[in-house]
Amino acid sequence: MSRGPDRDSRRRSADSSSLTEPSIRLKGVFVLLVGLSGGTMALGGGAPPVIVGLMTVGGLVAGGALLWYLLWVLG
């Protein structure tokens, strides 16, 4: 007797290729949120605009890495 979703690899590969638009938006919002949090913290600390920009870009990179890691762990 099976409970829960089917763990068949054929089914999983078919499901992973059919990404819905809201899931793509959610991933983008996640990366953006992490990126803007770095810039906001630098801005709150009184950093110059160049540092705020660098922190935002660094946060976006970190957000992308976190998203990749989460998808890798859950996939």
Side-chain angles (χ1 to χ4, degrees):
M1 179 173 6
S2 175
R3 290 186 178 176
D6 186 18
R7 297 285 183 178
D8 188 16
S9 63
R10 290 173 290 158
R11 182 180 176 113
R12 190 175 351 159
S13 66
D15 289 342
S16 65
S17 65
S18 61
L19 290 175
T20 60
E21 199 167 312
S23 72
I24 293 172
R25 287 186 200 157
L26 184 62
K27 292 173 185 175
V29 168
F30 175 78
V31 172
L32 190 64
L33 181 67
V34 173
L36 291 178
S37 70
T40 304
M41 288 174 29
L43 191 62
V50 173
I51 300 299
V52 172
L54 288 173
M55 291 299 293
T56 303
V57 170
L60 290 171
V61 170
L66 282 171
L67 179 64
W68 172 83
Y69 178 71
L70 285 173
L71 292 175
W72 180 68
V73 166
L74 297 174

